[in-house]
Amino acid sequence: MSLGNSFFPYSIEDAMSWIGHHLENFESNRSFEFAITDKESRELYGTIALSSNLAFNHGEIAYWIGEEFWGSGYANEAAQAII
């Protein structure tokens, strides 16, 4: 399951499957996934990923932010950091 294909309800099995592909994706230069957290408390707000399409020489950013954190600029800040 990719970050962009998340479904609700999102089970723990879905999360474990998604996390389980991070290292493989990183090592193959396909995508780079990161947690979006509070800088001090480390509370998890969401995730951001940068995918790489070497065949077409471009990439894509995808993110997920917990609904209670929407509108706070976290995705914007994470996107600026990942670029």
Side-chain angles (χ1 to χ4, degrees), residues 58-71:
H58 77 273
E60 179 178 280
I61 294 175
Y63 61 87
W64 172 87
I65 301 291
E67 190 171 355
E68 63 269 32
F69 305 111
W70 290 2

Side-chain angles (χ1 to χ4, degrees), residues 7 10 17 19-21 25 31 35-36 58 62 68 71 82:
F7 298 100
Y10 194 74
S17 173
I19 291 168
H21 290 93
N25 290 339
S31 66
I36 299 173
H58 77 273
E68 63 269 32
I82 204 169

Side-chain angles (χ1 to χ4, degrees), residues 42-55:
R42 301 293 187 200
E43 179 179 6
L44 180 65
Y45 293 161
T47 62
I48 190 163
L50 176 63
S51 64
S52 173
N53 186 327
L54 298 175

Side-chain angles (χ1 to χ4, degrees), residues 6-19:
S6 300
F7 298 100
F8 184 81
Y10 194 74
S11 71
I12 191 71
E13 292 82 14
D14 293 330
M16 296 305 290
S17 173
W18 179 69
I19 291 168

